[in-house]
């Protein structure tokens, strides 16, 4: 049986690894070698370097995950403003045959979740009117392709992936997380230049710093996405927590894959 093709566009590298952990739990594993990649996804692999002649630019390639039933491309748009453009451009390359398509983004700036969702829908519709997106965040359409938008942490509250990771960290690494919180909350940034302290003073700044502090213990010297990929933030140990489970259910519905939903899996074994 041919694999189902799914294409997800997320904001940044942290989000790629976040999604990847859920896929791993469902048995959909990262593809490392080009020769192992599903041939229908090869057209998403750039053929030139440096991209657009820029030696410093990140090569715009998704991270691929595969199982016997699925092949999933998870693409970092490198910013919320590029989500619709990246999605439209690459869906046109994939042409037909996409089983499911979706966005994962956060809401950590001015406005609310509904506004963030509606703005993305309008931007995408202007570029790709033939593909319909659901009217509300967290919903999944049953059309062809299946589509959905998830606004972390739970499609209703302001926040980021770090909100989910912090919640999971209380189960996975409670002692390290508590020490990280104490450290971050004790730091006085008042003497820093404004541009240096601005990220820390942002609504999600301390949460991001706390997750990074835990990551610096688990994977010293590595980027935050490495600890998300390697450690137990998203794992069998945390998958039943509310915020973690909500995203797992969305991903399960979008890909039409019950093994990604811990609640369905648990019911199936009763």
């Amino acid at each position: 049986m041919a694999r189902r093709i799914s294409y997800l566009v997320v904001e940044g590298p942290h989000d790629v690894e976040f999604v990847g952990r859920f896929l791993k739990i469902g048995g959909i594993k990262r593809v490392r070698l080009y020769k192992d990649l599903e041939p229908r996804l090869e057209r998403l692999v750039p053929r030139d370097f440096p991209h657009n002649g820029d030696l410093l630019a990140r090569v715009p390639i998704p991270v691929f995950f595969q199982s016997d039933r699925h092949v999933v491309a998870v693409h970092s748009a490198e910013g919320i403003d590029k989500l619709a453009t990246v999605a439209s451009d690459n869906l046109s390359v994939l042409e037909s045959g996409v089983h499911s398509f979706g966005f994962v983004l956060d809401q950590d700036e001015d406005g609310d979740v509904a506004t963030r969702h509606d703005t993305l829908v309008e931007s995408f519709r202007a570029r790709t009117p033939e593909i319909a997106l659901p009217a509300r965040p967290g919903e999944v359409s049953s059309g062809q392709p299946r589509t959905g938008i998830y606004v972390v942490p739970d499609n209703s509250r302001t926040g980021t992936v770090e909100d989910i990771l912090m919640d999971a960290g209380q189960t996975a690494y409670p002692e390290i997380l508590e020490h990280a919180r104490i450290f971050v909350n004790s730091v006085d940034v008042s003497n820093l230049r404004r541009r240096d302290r601005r990220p820390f003073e942002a609504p999600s700044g301390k949460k991001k710093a706390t997750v990074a502090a835990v990551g610096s213990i688990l994977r010293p010297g590595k980027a935050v996405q490495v600890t998300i990929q390697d450690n137990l933030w998203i794992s069998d140990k945390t998958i039943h927590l509310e915020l973690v489970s909500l995203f797992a259910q969305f991903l399960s519905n979008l890909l039409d894959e019950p093994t990604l939903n811990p609640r369905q899996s648990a019911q199936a074994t009763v």
Side-chain angles (χ1 to χ4, degrees):
M1 183 176 68
R3 294 184 178 106
R4 293 173 173 175
I5 293 177
S6 298
Y7 180 61
L8 301 177
V9 183
V10 302
E11 285 192 55
H14 295 182
D15 308 302
V16 171
E17 299 306 334
F18 176 75
V19 173
R21 286 296 300 189
F22 288 89
L23 296 175
K24 181 178 181 179
I25 291 173
I28 306 174
K29 300 179 180 179
R30 183 184 303 260
V31 180
R32 183 175 298 276
L33 299 178
Y34 179 75
K35 68 180 182 62
D36 297 329
L37 181 63
E38 163 68 46
R40 290 173 294 168
L41 273 293
E42 291 177 357
R43 63 188 68 184
L44 290 182
V45 179
R47 300 297 182 181
D48 64 319
F49 181 83
H51 182 64
N52 292 333
D54 187 347
L55 289 169
L56 300 181
R58 182 186 296 269
V59 177
I61 182 173
V63 178
F64 300 100
F65 301 84
Q66 282 182 185
S67 67
D68 291 340
R69 288 168 49 84
H70 295 277
V71 53
V72 185
V74 186
H75 208 152
S76 169
E78 300 295 333
I80 193 166
D81 295 336
K82 300 178 183 178
L83 286 169
T85 301
V86 168
S88 297
D89 289 348
N90 286 285
L91 285 168
S92 67
V93 171
L94 287 172
E95 298 174 345
S96 60
V98 175
H99 174 262
S100 54
F101 157 68
F103 292 102
V104 178
L105 62 153
D106 59 36
Q107 168 52 41
D108 62 342
E109 299 176 356
D110 293 336
D112 55 32
V113 169
T115 300
R116 177 65 62 94
H117 170 274
D118 293 348
T119 299
L120 177 57
V121 169
E122 292 174 8
S123 181
F124 179 74
R125 182 185 295 135
R127 295 171 171 82
T128 314
E130 66 273 16
I131 297 180
L133 293 170
R136 286 180 290 274
E139 293 183 348
V140 172
S141 75
S142 57
Q144 184 60 39
R146 299 171 72 88
T147 61
I149 299 175
Y150 198 94
V151 184
V152 295
D154 61 0
N155 295 303
S156 61
R157 287 182 291 169
T158 295
T160 65
V161 162
E162 281 72 22
D163 287 273
I164 303 177
L165 295 176
M166 291 275 284
D167 191 52
Q170 293 183 57
T171 294
Y173 304 108
E175 292 184 2
I176 301 175
L177 182 65
E178 182 59 24
H179 283 295
R181 278 194 176 117
I182 293 171
F183 163 66
V184 169
N185 288 329
S186 69
V187 173
D188 181 6
V189 298
S190 62
N191 291 324
L192 294 178
R193 295 180 303 173
R194 179 172 178 78
R195 69 176 185 178
D196 289 335
R197 68 174 188 265
R198 186 181 296 119
F200 184 77
E201 293 177 338
S204 60
K206 286 191 175 182
K207 294 174 185 176
K208 291 178 182 290
T210 302
V211 170
V214 176
S216 71
I217 299 298
L218 299 172
R219 289 293 182 268
K222 304 292 185 179
V224 172
Q225 55 260 40
V226 176
T227 186
I228 298 173
Q229 177 183 340
D230 289 352
N231 300 125
L232 299 177
W233 301 91
I234 307 300
S235 64
D236 292 339
K237 193 172 184 178
T238 65
I239 194 67
H240 295 285
L241 298 173
E242 182 180 4
L243 290 180
V244 181
S245 179
L246 280 172
F247 186 79
Q249 291 172 52
F250 168 79
L251 204 58
S252 174
N253 292 338
L254 183 65
L255 271 61
D256 194 17
E257 178 50 66
T259 62
L260 294 171
N261 186 337
R263 293 184 181 178
Q264 288 188 16
S265 297
Q267 292 171 357
T269 58
V270 174

